[in-house]
Amino acid sequence: MRQLALDIGMAPVPTLANFVAAGNEGALEHLRLWAGNPLRSPVPTCLWGDSGSGKTHLLRAVRESLREQGAQVGWMDADTLQPGEFDDAWEAVLLDDVHLYTADQQAAAFNWFVNAQAPAHGRARWVLAATDRPPADLQLREDLRTRLGWGHVFHLVALGEAERRAVLRRAADERGVFLGDEVMDFMLNRFSRDLSSLMMLLDQLDAYALRTQRAITIPLIKSMLENE
């Protein structure tokens, strides 16, 4: 049986509205207030949590929200191999997966942070960062690590088993699709348990079931893996 290759083009655009906040309501409300207010405080924000807790979803959602308002933002993640210089046109700086940064990326992130907080022109800008552990525990250059921890810090928790099931069930109901308990067990045990990956899988299953005029069952999932 071939491994399922999820089509990233099917993934919905991350937004603050489609983030499942169970256990992370405080962080979500904070980001809604900051992203939605052009006069936002420049005090930096750091989100930390394990893989699958929604850090990258939230950073991308904030980026989309700011862009919809016509704002330019600086973005860096571990795949940004050659980060450029700070741009005075940026309204905010977003730093994802800071714990994975190389020495050069850390130097660039520190430069962006300093220029955002004390720019040569205009008012101070907001910095939003995401890491896998509290800032105090990060193995980063000290000047960057301390700056990540001096503002608002939120611990994100991943959804539990029951919450994942509830979200999948609701998403299936919204599509008019029935997911039996055995299908749900198969999806949760055989594929990535990350919620965004599960939602992409549901989208593919829904499309395949419609195309083949069959209900979503374990045999249908196996058929899709073999034929798609």
Side-chain angles (χ1 to χ4, degrees):
M1 185 181 296
R2 293 187 295 129
Q3 189 70 22
L4 177 64
L6 293 175
D7 180 0
I8 195 65
M10 297 181 69
V13 174
T15 68
L16 295 175
N18 64 23
F19 179 72
V20 181
N24 300 310
E25 292 83 0
L28 179 60
E29 183 60 24
H30 173 85
L31 296 180
R32 280 176 172 159
L33 289 172
W34 258 245
N37 184 1
L39 301 178
R40 67 187 66 84
S41 165
V43 175
T45 302
C46 182
L47 310 176
W48 71 272
D50 293 334
S51 176
S53 58
K55 305 184 297 295
T56 296
H57 178 115
L58 287 173
L59 260 68
R60 289 176 176 170
V62 167
R63 179 174 62 179
E64 290 303 314
S65 177
L66 294 176
R67 285 176 172 175
E68 287 174 358
Q69 299 170 46
Q72 298 182 49
V73 299
W75 174 276
M76 189 190 309
D77 57 32
D79 293 327
T80 308
L81 300 182
Q82 295 183 318
E85 297 296 322
F86 178 84
D87 189 333
D88 279 327
W90 291 344
E91 291 290 326
V93 166
L94 308 182
L95 307 172
D96 194 22
D97 286 337
V98 181
H99 55 285
L100 299 177
Y101 284 8
T102 64
D104 287 344
Q105 289 169 326
Q106 291 180 47
F110 174 71
N111 176 270
W112 287 13
F113 206 117
V114 170
N115 278 286
Q117 294 288 288
H121 307 285
R123 57 185 176 81
R125 278 77 156 184
W126 182 37
V127 178
L128 172 62
T131 74
D132 70 343
R133 66 201 70 186
D137 296 339
L138 290 168
Q139 301 298 310
L140 299 173
R141 51 186 285 172
E142 185 68 7
D143 49 10
L144 176 60
R145 185 190 64 77
T146 54
R147 280 170 172 78
L148 290 171
W150 77 262
H152 304 281
V153 177
F154 293 92
H155 178 203
L156 298 183
V157 295
L159 293 178
E161 174 89 7
E163 291 154 339
R164 284 192 185 93
R165 287 176 176 272
V167 171
L168 270 178
R169 186 80 70 192
R170 184 173 69 241
D173 289 345
E174 290 172 350
R175 292 166 172 78
V177 170
F178 174 73
L179 289 183
D181 290 338
E182 69 285 353
V183 171
M184 191 89 70
D185 291 341
F186 190 85
M187 292 173 65
L188 290 169
N189 292 328
R190 299 296 185 91
F191 302 97
S192 170
R193 299 169 71 84
D194 176 76
L195 187 60
S196 61
S197 296
L198 288 170
M199 298 303 286
M200 290 167 63
L201 174 59
L202 178 59
D203 283 340
Q204 272 198 307
L205 287 172
D206 186 22
Y208 187 75
L210 285 172
R211 191 162 65 252
T212 58
Q213 295 296 297
R214 296 165 59 189
I216 296 181
T217 61
I218 293 175
L220 177 122
I221 298 175
K222 292 179 178 179
S223 173
M224 185 179 75
L225 295 177
E226 293 169 352
N227 297 303
E228 289 291 274

